[in-house]
Amino acid sequence: MAGQPASLSGRDVGSFAYITIKDRIPQILTKAIDSLHRHKSKFFEKHGEKGLEAEKKAISLLSKLRNELQTDKPMIPLVEKFADTDIWNQYLDYQQSLLGETDGKARWFFSPWLFVECYMYRRIHEAIIQSPPIDDFDVFKESKDQNFFESQESVIALCTYLQELISTLEVLDENQLKNEFFKFLQISLWGNKCDLSLSGGETSSQKTNIITSLGELQAFILVNDMEHLWALLRPGKETETDSAAAVRVAIVLDNSGFELVTDLVLAHFLLSSRLATEVHFYGKTIPWFVSDTTRRDFTWLVEQAKSSSDKYLSRCGLDWESYLKVGKWVYHDHIFWTLPHEFCAMSQVAPDLYTELQKAHLILFKGDLNYRKLTGDRKWEFTVPFHQALNGFHPAPLCSIRTLKAEIQEAWSFMT
Ligand code: F6P
Ligand code: MG
């Protein structure tokens, strides 16, 4: 796009991009290696000597990756055949083509941050799939599950609030309903603080009751377009031709653990309040950015909720299970979400997914990485409208629900 600003990269010394590539990614790799070490005996119990050999191989591949990064070696093509290997290597060639003759090979500190960080997580996945029979191991699973367990107090408070509210929904007037909608949007927003890639894999559970924290957190909301979202979904909206018509909301998920609970609670409220008739969730097909949600995480969390000793959490888990069974909730996988591409490339690279998203009345993109891919992770002027930064990506009305981590920001305008 003419006049498109440059991407953030590791060469911007002192930037969050630089700090991430120099310090945080090696720390995340070290924690991935530690996770393999801690599971050594389990690998042996399950697979015998082959399990030990696989653990050793995966650790050596991850250690090699960490060395490549720390010594700024050229970024090498993926070698293990997987659904997205060719697309990834085409993208690496594209990045290479952007470099001048003198720049040599695409390197960790001299390539766009968004690409480098995605490439690193995809190389972690390659190291694991090259190490059968532990090739289905999720090096981040332990920390994602721990985040859920350590946030139990806030999870239970949230589910209690939701279940008690549901019994009163019929008597709420439109303004009261709007306020509850805004409350659940903010809870989903602050759930995004629990991102383990930011904390380098250190636990970042939600210790306090998030509902009672909303008041003090208001001051930290930089841009608030919730009225636009309400106008799209509220009962009796102008566009409503038939009150029984389907209203589909898509949630492009981010982190598992506590944040996923806040997203499921928001989706539960949308159905119970009849602001939506179906919710479609989009997760990751491989372990991604430490805490991002995979299908395995999603089904695990619903199961954990269902089997909880707390009556409200268990009630939620049973409701969530039934929504999935009857198709009111649908979980979708697509490899596009774990490619390095900006979302404006989706209609070319993954036209089936773009068509799927076009069926939504509203798409909620959760988290910082999705925001970076929506806007190409470029150094936009803060005055640039969000619509312009989307660079032609308009499958449906969309918004970003994000706690600001990477530097990138634009002037906000709700997409319609
Ligand atoms: O550096 C922080 C970071 O790893 C970013 O690189 C990335 O965009 C973000 O965290 C992931 O955050 P979220 O889980 O909100 O997408
Ligand atoms: Mg994330």
Side-chain angles (χ1 to χ4, degrees):
M1 178 175 161
Q4 213 170 47
S7 301
L8 286 152
S9 90
R11 77 180 82 177
D12 301 325
V13 177
S15 70
F16 199 42
Y18 175 76
I19 295 163
T20 299
I21 297 168
K22 176 175 162 298
D23 300 327
R24 300 179 48 256
I25 287 184
Q27 183 189 356
I28 287 166
L29 273 169
T30 302
K31 285 194 170 305
I33 291 166
D34 292 348
S35 173
L36 284 161
H37 268 307
R38 280 198 307 279
H39 285 77
K40 189 172 184 173
S41 54
K42 287 201 177 82
F43 295 145
F44 181 68
E45 278 161 37
K46 193 171 175 187
H47 306 291
E49 280 304 317
K50 284 192 181 305
L52 295 185
E53 284 155 26
E55 184 249 5
K56 206 178 290 178
K57 179 177 180 184
I59 286 177
S60 98
L61 288 169
L62 291 183
S63 303
K64 175 179 175 292
L65 174 60
R66 186 175 52 188
N67 177 266
E68 286 174 32
L69 161 64
Q70 289 179 311
T71 55
D72 199 18
K73 290 279 188 322
M75 300 165 81
I76 55 175
L78 299 174
V79 292
E80 189 69 17
K81 267 296 160 218
F82 196 69
D84 58 356
T85 303
D86 293 343
I87 302 175
W88 263 99
N89 288 337
Q90 283 158 22
Y91 197 89
L92 182 58
D93 290 343
Y94 163 66
Q95 285 298 332
Q96 186 60 58
S97 70
L98 297 178
L99 296 173
E101 284 308 309
T102 54
D103 292 341
K105 287 285 186 192
R107 295 181 2 237
W108 293 83
F109 284 83
F110 282 78
S111 296
W113 177 26
L114 180 63
F115 165 58
V116 167
E117 204 168 9
C118 292
Y119 172 81
M120 192 285 289
Y121 286 100
R122 181 60 180 79
R123 281 286 303 275
I124 290 178
H125 180 64
E126 179 171 74
I128 299 299
I129 60 177
Q130 286 179 314
S131 311
I134 64 169
D135 45 340
D136 67 343
F137 182 66
D138 178 346
V139 292
F140 306 125
K141 188 82 182 91
E142 228 175 3
S143 52
K144 291 184 276 191
D145 296 354
Q146 184 188 355
N147 179 273
F148 173 74
F149 290 127
E150 290 184 353
S151 306
Q152 275 307 287
E153 186 186 333
S154 200
V155 167
I156 288 169
L158 198 43
C159 291
T160 303
Y161 180 84
L162 173 70
Q163 289 293 345
E164 290 178 343
L165 175 74
I166 287 170
S167 58
T168 71
L169 281 176
E170 288 308 317
V171 298
L172 296 188
D173 64 29
E174 180 164 326
N175 202 46
Q176 289 169 320
L177 188 65
K178 178 169 83 166
N179 290 335
E180 295 299 334
F181 175 52
F182 287 4
K183 217 177 268 185
F184 286 108
L185 283 174
Q186 291 170 74
I187 288 166
S188 174
L189 165 68
W190 299 122
N192 182 239
K193 287 193 291 115
C194 299
D195 150 37
L196 298 175
S197 69
L198 189 64
S199 60
E202 291 298 335
T203 179
S204 72
S205 49
Q206 177 62 37
K207 297 280 193 227
T208 58
N209 178 343
I210 196 155
I211 301 166
T212 54
S213 316
L214 292 184
E216 69 201 44
L217 287 170
Q218 272 283 344
F220 297 98
I221 295 182
L222 293 177
V223 182
N224 175 350
D225 247 305
M226 294 192 288
E227 287 290 350
H228 274 117
L229 303 188
W230 174 250
L232 269 175
L233 297 182
R234 68 177 176 74
K237 48 195 170 292
E238 287 74 36
T239 53
E240 196 155 65
T241 48
D242 158 15
S243 59
V247 177
R248 174 168 167 161
V249 171
I251 303 181
V252 182
L253 296 172
D254 187 1
N255 303 305
S256 187
F258 181 72
E259 180 172 2
L260 180 56
V261 172
T262 67
D263 297 333
L264 297 183
V265 162
L266 169 62
H268 195 153
F269 169 76
L270 288 174
L271 289 193
S272 303
S273 60
R274 290 194 290 279
L275 290 174
T277 56
E278 53 187 277
V279 180
H280 291 248
F281 301 95
Y282 297 84
K284 305 302 193 298
T285 49
I286 63 172
W288 195 248
F289 279 70
V290 185
S291 38
D292 280 27
T293 302
T294 62
R295 181 187 289 272
R296 196 169 142 204
D297 297 320
F298 189 94
T299 43
W300 177 86
L301 193 141
V302 172
E303 194 53 42
Q304 287 296 318
K306 201 180 85 174
S307 53
S308 167
S309 58
D310 176 84
K311 70 171 183 175
Y312 291 113
L313 179 50
S314 161
R315 173 74 265 155
C316 280
L318 289 164
D319 289 346
W320 299 344
E321 184 181 59
S322 70
Y323 291 149
L324 289 163
K325 270 192 187 131
V326 300
K328 285 186 176 181
W329 282 6
V330 183
Y331 181 94
H332 300 260
D333 277 318
H334 200 292
I335 59 161
F336 180 81
W337 304 113
T338 51
L339 293 176
H341 299 71
E342 304 170 27
F343 288 167
C344 61
M346 185 190 289
S347 55
Q348 303 297 319
V349 175
D352 57 329
L353 177 59
Y354 193 84
T355 305
E356 184 66 29
L357 290 181
Q358 284 180 306
K359 297 172 190 168
H361 290 75
L362 172 63
I363 311 170
L364 306 178
F365 284 92
K366 287 300 305 299
D368 188 69
L369 175 61
N370 279 326
Y371 183 87
R372 290 172 60 199
K373 287 189 167 185
L374 281 168
T375 56
D377 212 29
R378 298 181 183 282
K379 299 176 194 167
W380 298 102
E381 292 301 324
F382 291 168
T383 52
V384 166
F386 185 53
H387 182 284
Q388 180 183 335
L390 290 172
N391 201 7
F393 179 67
H394 307 303
L398 65 89
C399 85
S400 163
I401 301 180
R402 167 225 195 187
T403 52
L404 197 153
K405 293 148 189 170
E407 283 100 335
I408 174 170
Q409 299 161 55
E410 282 77 43
W412 185 268
S413 77
F414 173 69
M415 267 307 301
T416 54

